[in-house]
Amino acid sequence: MTVCLPELERANDLLAASPFAHWLRTEAVEAHGRIAVRMHVDEHHIGNPFLRAVQGGIVASLMDYAASLTLSLYLGRAELLRPLSVNVSYLRSVRDRDCLADAQIVRLGRRVATLTTRAWQDDAEKPCAVSQYTFVLS
Amino acid sequence: MADDADLLDQRRNDLVTLFIDDHPMARALGMEFVEGDWNRVVCRLPMRDDLTFREGAGLAPGVLLTVLDGVFGLSVCMRVPVPQAIATIELKIDFIEDARTDADLVFTGECYAIADNVGYARGEITRQGDGGLVAGGSATFMLGTRGPTFFTEAAGEGA
């Protein structure tokens, strides 16, 4: 499975319309056959300056965009959807190099959508964080 | 006893400096320390257009996640102000109302328990002015993780 170019362009248009996505230094890319969000880690993403580890909330923000982007693209929305709730588990520290995140729709109901996300650096099979997102659809 | 109390106060002041005033991420986001005590921290985040979810909207959910995580972490360190590194294990947030463009936000974090080297924090995000609830959340932190501590590095004693 591959991501078609128009879908990738649409994903980057959605991210470009979000000022905080720019602050995070994100871009939509293809990874493992699906849309992912890549974050170019910068000094202002670092939570522990002594370990050069990215702050947990920044990693959650990256997964936030992966979930919103995946759901908005699937539903053909013109704007990124905002989540209702998020639950993040941190598995490994995130160091100061690029980090990626993607999302999967677990269930899409009439009013509620549930997605899982993962964030990784070197190996997607060894995520540094996973999360579950809930969205209310209007 | 007075010396111990003074030392704790000094360490808590140092933590605020390290977590907020001198911290690159906190400074880049514009976080401001409002008040704090032995287990509770209050910070303010001014509304800024470059941190919004989309043009004309309020602050992005990711901004709320990031700042609340920082406030939770600081509240845990305030409760146990001994030299040690900490790491977030879990973070949960419910977004109750959209952050609006006409109000700065107030982040309150409270470390309500420490057990088996795990710190537990909970808190909320409210609008400054009318006090409207924007989000609520909780987090757990592992204490004493690997690596240099903020205190040792600040004192120039790091590895």
Side-chain angles (χ1 to χ4, degrees):
Chain A
M1 190 174 73
T2 56
V3 176
C4 63
L5 191 58
E7 189 180 18
L8 197 56
E9 286 176 355
R10 179 82 196 111
N12 273 306
D13 287 346
L14 285 168
L15 284 181
S18 179
F20 186 59
H22 179 73
W23 190 94
L24 271 184
R25 303 187 70 227
T26 57
E27 63 169 329
V29 297
E30 180 188 348
H32 305 287
R34 62 170 96 137
I35 292 277
V37 181
R38 177 186 292 273
M39 177 173 69
H40 302 282
V41 171
D42 206 342
E43 193 61 34
H44 61 267
H45 299 148
I46 300 296
N48 185 330
F50 312 120
L51 288 176
R52 306 292 305 157
V54 176
Q55 203 249 16
I58 295 286
V59 180
S61 301
L62 172 65
M63 292 192 287
D64 192 70
Y65 277 111
S68 298
L69 198 56
T70 298
L71 185 60
S72 301
L73 286 170
Y74 186 83
L75 295 174
R77 297 292 180 100
E79 293 181 325
L80 285 172
L81 290 159
R82 295 180 70 101
L84 176 76
S85 68
V86 55
N87 203 338
V88 186
S89 294
Y90 295 95
L91 312 175
R92 295 176 177 83
S93 65
V94 179
R95 297 311 171 100
D96 59 351
R97 56 182 187 276
D98 286 7
C99 185
L100 291 101
D102 64 10
Q104 254 188 316
I105 298 172
V106 177
R107 184 172 189 275
L108 183 61
R110 277 189 305 125
R111 295 197 60 206
V112 175
T114 304
L115 288 88
T116 55
T117 74
R118 62 179 175 175
W120 74 91
Q121 291 194 291
D122 300 322
D123 182 352
E125 298 305 312
K126 293 180 180 173
C128 39
V130 294
S131 63
Q132 180 170 308
Y133 276 82
T134 304
F135 292 79
V136 169
L137 307 173
S138 52
Chain B
M1 288 298 287
D3 287 348
D4 288 348
D6 288 347
L7 178 61
L8 286 177
D9 281 348
Q10 183 57 51
R11 282 188 164 166
R12 289 187 175 118
N13 288 337
D14 289 346
L15 282 167
V16 171
T17 303
L18 289 163
F19 271 74
I20 310 285
D21 302 337
D22 289 350
H23 196 283
M25 187 204 71
R27 289 175 62 157
L29 288 169
M31 283 174 70
E32 298 170 3
F33 179 76
V34 176
E35 61 182 29
D37 55 30
W38 67 279
N39 72 337
R40 185 172 164 273
V41 173
V42 181
C43 287
R44 177 175 165 270
L45 190 73
M47 168 65 195
R48 251 174 49 189
D49 289 342
D50 61 331
L51 301 179
T52 57
F53 195 48
R54 51 180 174 262
E55 214 166 297
L59 294 171
V63 176
L64 310 191
L65 284 163
T66 301
V67 175
L68 199 56
D69 182 40
V71 168
F72 283 157
L74 179 55
S75 75
V76 170
C77 288
M78 294 285 255
R79 182 156 175 157
V80 193
V82 296
Q84 61 181 333
I86 69 166
T88 316
I89 308 170
E90 290 199 339
L91 176 65
K92 174 176 170 48
I93 296 190
D94 297 316
F95 300 103
I96 294 161
E97 269 190 29
D98 283 2
R100 298 196 313 225
T101 55
D102 60 352
D104 298 342
L105 296 181
V106 176
F107 295 72
T108 303
E110 174 207 16
C111 175
Y112 65 96
I114 300 281
D116 292 333
N117 286 323
V118 175
Y120 300 82
R122 60 190 171 202
E124 61 185 29
I125 305 169
T126 55
R127 282 190 299 272
Q128 193 169 34
D130 69 0
L133 186 61
V134 172
S138 61
T140 51
F141 294 84
M142 181 60 70
L143 309 182
T145 52
R146 284 185 306 168
T149 72
F150 285 91
F151 286 123
T152 53
E153 288 291 333
E157 299 164 10

